Amino acid sequence: MARPRLAVLKLASCSGCQLELLNAEATLLDLVSAVDLASFPMARSRLEEGPFDVVLVEGAVVSHREEAALEQARRVAGLLVAVGACATWGGLVTWRRLAGETAFAAAYPHPELVPAGAIRAVGDAVPVDLAVGGCPADRRELLEAVGCLLVGRAPELRSGPICVECRSREVACRLVSYGEPCLGPITRAGCDALCPSLGRPCNGCRGPADDPNGPGLAEAFRRARIDAEPDSLGPWAVELMKSQSRRSCVGGDGP
Amino acid sequence: MKARRIRVEPLTRVEGEGSLDIVATRGHIKALRLNIFEPPRLFQGFLVGRPWSAVPDLVARICGICPMAHVITSVQALEDALGVVPSPATVTLRRLLALGGWIQSHALHVFLLAGPDFLGCDDAVEAAGRHPDWVQRGLALKRLGNDVVVAVGGREVHPVTAVVGGFTAAPDGAGLEALARRLEEAIEPAVETVGEVAGFRRPALDRATTHAALVDAGSYAVNTGRWTTTGGLRVTAREYRKAVEEVQVPHSNALHSRLREGGGSFAVGPLPRLNLNAGRLGPEARAALEESGLRLPSFNPFDSIVVRAVELVEALAGAARCCRELAGQPDLARAVRPVEAPTRDGWGASLTEAPRGTLYHAYELDREGRVATADITPPTAQNLRHMELDLWAHLPPLLAEGQERLTRQAEMVIRSYDPCISCATHFLKLRLVEAAADEETALHA
């Protein structure tokens, strides 16, 4: 039986999510024997054409170049997976909103020479079959997702908040016990509460949990007299604090 | 008359997106440019208006391979701006974090990205079939570097514990002792690697040029020191921008760097670092260097793979020493606890040696402690012009050869810099077309 063909496409990104594949040193050679890494420019010289069974897309769309590459990838992809914060919901997309139009002028002496366009997540440009968030995407989740897709099963990605993981690891609550502005209550679990277990509040890098209540968390900060501007809480906080599902409501039981 | 036009697109086994265009007539290169089409992400723009405390998490995302270098450099620049002095234990723990980054990055480059070229393989996947021991050793060393980064920073990509003033958590003594033992055991296979790569047939490429790196008193420079060139320039982090300017060129989304005095290009990275710091190597790496027979100074970028292997030994031994020193610290978590930083205005700068060379960060803060201006120059941006000039020097005798060999040689020159194009803003598929001579004018070399 032919091995399933996998491609990695990089849009505007830091390469951290695709590096997570190479950081799976112990399973990398098994992966290579199970899957044909048909197009993976960071690691391979020979780049094959599609069709591919799975295309992993890292990064955001920032100009017509990425848009064209992404549309082409969608045409040759059996399943297209958006990988990481930039591709799924945040990263560059939300940072640009934070910075406004002055961003180009601050980075380049001649902004007119640089291709420009609206910054979009992958799912805003083409249909996506699966999103694996996180900054970076967690390689256990990524490998689990790829494995499941290849055997035709839906992967089980965690959907509840980080708080669940702090409880199970018996990590003291950064919000209640330390009075810190922790975004754990509205951030999707799956990192085993990395930051709270290492002495700092969650900065929301994994994106919104199911049923987030950002305004409710802001209210909880106020009640606890935690003075924190959202943009001081990390690169994702401003968008995350706005996130609210229909089931959540401000002034309820809070987080 | 017809000119030969060659395009290598995209460049592979590098981090990020780029291509190479060459126009040649009768064995002479008429135009050559390294196109960087890595999409711009505008970090210096995102940073403006953000509180200083939000900066390290944001700049980590410049690069997934060297996030620790961007975090450490930003933290040091902000400390300079805010007048914060970190504890000696913090300084040592930062050195350990940075060296973990060197180990994983150099192991990736030597064994998996550049090594296959010298072994006559297309890439690491082919090498894994023909030279399984080589690939396994590389993966084990890479894992070890990553384990250092995880022990100090919490995770490999975008570590979380390093903040302005210190660390939010620290590894325990037993963990550090265990890591020290693994690092010490890895020195021997790393020394063997130096011997093997020193035996690789490396093309000659020597031209008069300038190399630059941090030089520090007493030890192999990592996070501190004065930026020193082989031309005799010596500046502090605060003086760097007075010595180096950035210019925007039409074919690149990355800025080029040049020395203000004389306008010349320069190179940063492992080869310049060793040229300027060979006397400060630890005993293990010094012995490995002597054994290798590499003569210094060397300005041949193809020697870089040997130098990376030597630096792998230095980083393993240096990291082991940091672990031993920190394991002896009675209450490390307390000793590295972040020093309180004021909210105030100021300007500060820092230079560090990232795996690929000198990294510069500077920040101006307003009275509310928010970023007014950010100035970031990664190693690859400093090297771009130098890479183009190396290609000008190396490729003419090869123009008469077949396209495949020409492409491979061009890629090897570029890959020797281990370019990180996401940082600076991908790599080579060569396309050869006959082009009218007047098209040369469209390529501003």
Side-chain angles (χ1 to χ4, degrees):
Chain A
M1 199 181 82
R3 290 174 301 165
R5 289 160 56 80
L6 185 127
V8 178
L9 175 65
K10 178 190 187 307
L11 306 178
S13 69
C14 76
S15 299
C17 291
Q18 53 179 318
L19 187 65
E20 278 289 278
L21 287 175
L22 298 179
N23 281 341
E25 291 92 353
T27 49
L28 195 56
L29 294 178
D30 292 338
L31 180 73
V32 170
S33 58
V35 175
D36 179 7
L37 297 175
S39 180
F40 189 177
M42 188 162 87
R44 304 205 64 175
S45 283
R46 202 174 293 146
L47 307 178
E48 295 173 22
E49 302 288 320
F52 305 106
D53 297 282
V54 175
V55 176
L56 305 177
V57 184
E58 171 198 89
V61 176
V62 303
S63 74
H64 59 87
R65 270 196 78 249
E66 297 79 47
E67 191 172 325
L70 184 56
E71 284 170 356
Q72 171 60 19
R74 179 68 273 188
R75 281 192 287 274
V76 298
L79 294 163
L80 189 137
V81 186
V83 179
C86 294
T88 57
W89 77 283
L92 292 173
V93 185
T94 56
W95 305 343
R96 177 68 182 274
R97 227 171 274 155
L98 205 61
E101 287 309 313
T102 55
F104 265 95
Y108 291 96
H110 298 286
E112 69 281 2
L113 295 177
V114 183
I119 300 185
R120 287 183 291 166
V122 170
D124 294 332
V126 296
V128 164
D129 300 296
L130 180 71
V132 180
C135 186
D138 181 278
R139 67 173 173 277
R140 291 164 302 180
E141 277 193 332
L142 191 54
L143 291 171
E144 159 84 6
V146 170
C148 286
L149 290 175
L150 293 174
V151 299
R153 178 165 76 79
E156 290 174 27
L157 301 176
R158 293 187 199 180
S159 58
I162 300 288
C163 300
V164 177
E165 297 179 331
C166 276
R167 297 271 165 84
S168 71
R169 290 192 62 181
E170 300 184 356
V171 171
C173 181
R174 302 307 304 185
L175 204 167
V176 174
S177 303
Y178 293 91
E180 292 174 353
C182 184
L183 298 176
I186 56 174
T187 300
R188 192 171 65 85
C191 60
D192 285 329
L194 182 74
C195 288
S197 73
L198 291 172
R200 56 177 283 183
C202 171
N203 68 8
C205 80
R206 294 181 50 78
D210 280 1
D211 289 323
N213 186 356
L217 183 62
E219 178 59 31
F221 287 169
R222 274 191 294 277
R223 265 186 272 153
R225 298 180 194 283
I226 297 169
D227 180 31
E229 294 278 336
D231 77 340
S232 68
L233 307 183
W236 307 273
V238 172
E239 290 296 310
L240 207 50
M241 294 293 280
K242 290 182 203 157
S243 61
Q244 188 177 29
S245 72
R246 266 176 290 173
R247 280 199 275 163
S248 311
C249 62
V250 179
D253 295 337
Chain B
M1 193 192 71
K2 291 278 187 184
R4 188 172 175 219
R5 186 175 173 180
I6 300 157
R7 166 166 282 194
V8 185
E9 178 187 36
L11 299 162
T12 59
R13 286 186 281 144
V14 297
E15 196 279 316
E17 294 187 289
S19 72
L20 176 67
D21 273 323
I22 303 164
V23 175
T25 317
R26 288 188 184 165
H28 294 281
I29 293 177
K30 293 289 200 186
L32 181 151
R33 62 183 202 186
L34 196 53
N35 303 291
I36 303 299
F37 41 83
E38 175 75 17
R41 293 181 297 154
L42 314 173
F43 271 90
Q44 290 179 188
F46 299 141
L47 287 161
V48 172
R50 307 281 79 75
W52 61 259
S53 57
V55 171
D57 281 353
L58 203 45
V59 298
R61 273 72 189 180
I62 292 172
C63 180
I65 301 180
C66 307
M68 60 299 284
H70 284 286
V71 169
I72 292 168
T73 313
S74 70
V75 161
Q76 291 186 162
L78 290 166
E79 287 172 347
D80 184 34
L82 296 165
V84 169
V85 179
S87 72
T90 291
V91 171
T92 305
L93 195 55
R94 277 183 196 155
R95 185 177 175 91
L96 178 59
L97 178 60
L99 289 174
W102 284 28
I103 296 167
Q104 62 88 19
S105 179
H106 281 9
L108 176 65
H109 183 83
V110 169
F111 292 93
L112 305 178
L113 301 182
D117 284 330
F118 295 94
L119 295 168
C121 298
D122 264 358
D123 52 36
V125 176
E126 189 187 337
R130 291 171 49 196
H131 304 277
D133 296 346
W134 171 265
V135 172
Q136 293 280 13
R137 195 195 316 157
L139 288 171
L141 284 165
K142 182 165 150 346
R143 184 69 255 162
L144 180 54
N146 273 333
D147 284 345
V148 171
V149 175
V150 172
V152 180
R155 65 180 170 194
E156 299 90 345
V157 178
H158 308 326
V160 301
T161 58
V163 296
V164 170
F167 285 83
T168 62
D172 63 29
L176 285 164
E177 294 282 4
L179 204 50
R181 278 193 298 276
R182 287 179 60 203
L183 288 159
E184 287 156 1
E185 285 165 9
I187 292 173
E188 196 182 310
V191 168
E192 281 170 27
T193 305
V194 174
E196 283 173 77
V197 299
F200 286 164
R201 231 182 116 252
R202 305 187 302 278
L205 167 48
D206 261 316
R207 62 182 183 91
T209 181
T210 301
H211 277 183
L214 289 178
V215 175
D216 207 354
S219 62
Y220 204 78
V222 180
N223 291 330
T224 49
R226 280 173 189 254
W227 196 68
T228 306
T229 69
T230 50
L233 184 71
R234 225 169 116 79
V235 296
T236 62
R238 282 179 166 245
E239 296 161 343
Y240 172 86
R241 187 49 78 216
K242 287 183 202 145
V244 177
E245 63 181 343
E246 289 191 299
V247 289
Q248 191 172 358
V249 293
H251 60 279
S252 168
N253 290 348
L255 303 174
H256 282 194
S257 286
R258 65 184 182 204
L259 295 170
R260 279 190 207 270
E261 197 178 318
S265 73
F266 59 92
V268 298
L271 186 59
R273 208 149 54 204
L274 188 63
N275 279 333
L276 288 151
N277 285 282
R280 291 167 192 81
L281 286 172
E284 304 85 352
R286 186 176 314 187
L289 174 62
E290 279 167 17
E291 195 74 10
S292 76
L294 182 72
R295 266 188 297 192
L296 297 175
S298 162
F299 295 90
N300 180 359
F302 293 109
D303 286 342
S304 296
I305 190 164
V306 184
V307 174
R308 281 194 182 82
V310 170
E311 284 199 342
L312 201 44
V313 176
E314 175 66 19
L316 290 163
R321 283 190 280 274
C322 291
C323 289
R324 296 274 182 210
E325 184 187 325
L326 292 164
Q329 179 89 29
D331 186 350
L332 183 59
R334 192 187 180 93
V336 300
R337 192 169 290 162
V339 176
E340 191 88 29
T343 293
R344 55 165 240 202
D345 60 356
W347 179 87
S350 172
L351 290 169
T352 66
E353 285 294 327
R356 288 159 183 75
T358 311
L359 171 61
Y360 174 72
H361 281 228
Y363 301 95
E364 183 188 358
L365 303 177
D366 66 18
R367 275 185 299 186
E368 293 174 343
R370 288 179 179 267
V371 175
T373 60
D375 186 0
I376 298 171
T377 304
T380 299
Q382 296 171 76
N383 282 335
L384 285 170
R385 183 65 190 148
H386 201 268
M387 287 158 70
E388 288 184 342
L389 293 173
D390 274 357
L391 291 162
W392 276 96
H394 186 61
L395 297 181
L398 302 166
L399 287 169
E401 306 210 16
Q403 176 164 343
E404 198 173 324
R405 182 166 149 75
L406 183 60
T407 302
R408 188 151 209 154
Q409 287 284 318
E411 281 198 311
M412 282 177 71
V413 170
I414 296 167
R415 204 174 283 128
S416 75
Y417 287 84
D418 197 8
C420 182
I421 300 175
S422 287
C423 267
T425 66
H426 205 112
F427 221 124
L428 297 180
K429 186 167 116 194
L430 194 83
R431 207 162 62 210
L432 189 67
V433 293
E434 289 293 321
D438 59 19
E439 277 192 26
E440 287 162 27
T441 49
L443 291 174
H444 310 283

